[in-house]
Amino acid sequence: MRVLLAVFACGLRRYSTYRVATLSSIVVNGVFGAVNAMVLLAVFDARPRINGYTAEDAVTQVFLAQSLIGITAIFGPPLDLGGRIRDGQVAMDLLRPVGFVRWWLAQDLGRAAFALLSRTAPTFAVGLALFDLALPADPLRWAALAAAVALAVLVGFGLRYLYALAGFWLMDTRGVNAVAWLAGPFCSGMVLPLVLFPDPVAAVLRTLPWAALVQVPAEILLGRTVLPGGAAGGLAYQAVWAALLLALGAALTARATRRVVVQGG
């Protein structure tokens, strides 16, 4: 445990060095959030309620989504694991006396912890300053949101870990990451709330793990969870996907490390 805490601290310290990049990310998230919010306000001006969502609900989801970009890393950065597989340094990683998945998870949680403090809170504050957001008065809903955000981080890590593991077979994961960074925002409710999609499309997107990154936390915040069981059902959905992705990552790691190939050797 002490080793994992040290890895967590290293991950936090590493990303805290990029202060200018962090500041620029807040500006970009705030600007794109404002643009997206104004587009949705125009849509809801023509139709005040869509599948139970109001304009205020949609704008709130926009800024929650922008706030979650940093901690879920839905647009990246990819795990360094992909590059280490490509250049052969993964062979040294496998010698560490710590579980492979746990090592990378601890490092990524350090990154997410820094992003929570440096990007998530300031970006959401921008939304509060510019728009009227639908914020709950019930502290239990805020507690449920905190749990949903934590599970979203685990799901985000599980997905990115699988993208990186593809390097054991493909040798280069840049193509996988490029496709994932296109599909993830679309399928998660980050670009548009899933309630704005046609019902058959939204139903399919809700079965995919990306919905656990944005749509489910947003619905928990808004008190509009469509899954059975309300907020508890949403959290259970996230927990199941997190467990499945981590279990799949562990199983593929066990298989992949039996066939480590160092490029050029």
Side-chain angles (χ1 to χ4, degrees), residues 47 59 62 90 144:
R47 186 176 174 183
V59 172
V62 165
V90 69

Side-chain angles (χ1 to χ4, degrees), residues 163-185:
Y163 306 155
L165 278 186
F168 278 109
W169 288 271
L170 302 178
M171 299 304 297
D172 192 331
T173 59
R174 286 175 291 186
V176 174
N177 288 323
V179 173
W181 294 341
L182 288 174

Side-chain angles (χ1 to χ4, degrees), residues 29-40:
N29 293 155
V31 169
F32 274 89
V35 171
N36 198 358
M38 288 187 286
V39 170
L40 287 176

